Amino acid sequence: MPSSLPVLAASVLLGALPFVATAQTVPDTAPPAAPFQKVSELVTLPDFLPGLGTLYVDPATLPAGPFLGYDHDGKLSATIYMTPLEDLEGGQAFDDLALGRDSVASVDIYHNAWHPGVEKPHVHVVLYHDADAKARLAE
């Protein structure tokens, strides 16, 4: 697979976000209400993932999400999407993706080979909701 393909696919996805993303009503502190469930209770992952936080997801929205990332103090810090490369390459659109909060201070996009819950190559699109969120989720 060309090394530029994940970046191109993520760029296409990110370019679409401002036009389709809508804020959900989720609490600023963990845990969010049903249908969200703690990811570490759904698959074998640690409760806190450095860079992403303590994750919650509505299983009906898998694999893309949104995943809600909370810091060690339970503050909603990021909304994360996990979009499989094969779906993007096949032309699948991920429309009307929800946001945990509508404020976004910065965005990271990177390739992930696989992990429990998304067992194929995919792109993580991480929307940090405030200027300090990335640092709070780092460790």
Side-chain angles (χ1 to χ4, degrees), residues 9-87:
S11 297
V12 169
L13 175 67
L14 184 61
L17 284 176
F19 303 105
V20 298
T22 56
Q24 304 181 249
T25 303
V26 296
D28 285 338
T29 56
F36 284 93
Q37 296 180 33
K38 196 174 195 179
V39 171
S40 63
E41 295 174 359
L42 299 173
V43 296
T44 305
L45 284 172
D47 278 345
F48 187 91
L49 295 166
L52 300 176
T54 300
L55 295 177
Y56 290 83
V57 69
D58 173 354
T61 67
L62 294 174
F67 292 79
L68 304 175
Y70 292 84
D71 67 15
H72 287 290
D73 293 327
K75 180 179 180 182
L76 179 59
S77 300
T79 300
I80 302 103
Y81 307 101
M82 299 183 190
T83 56
L85 287 174
E86 70 183 15
D87 294 344

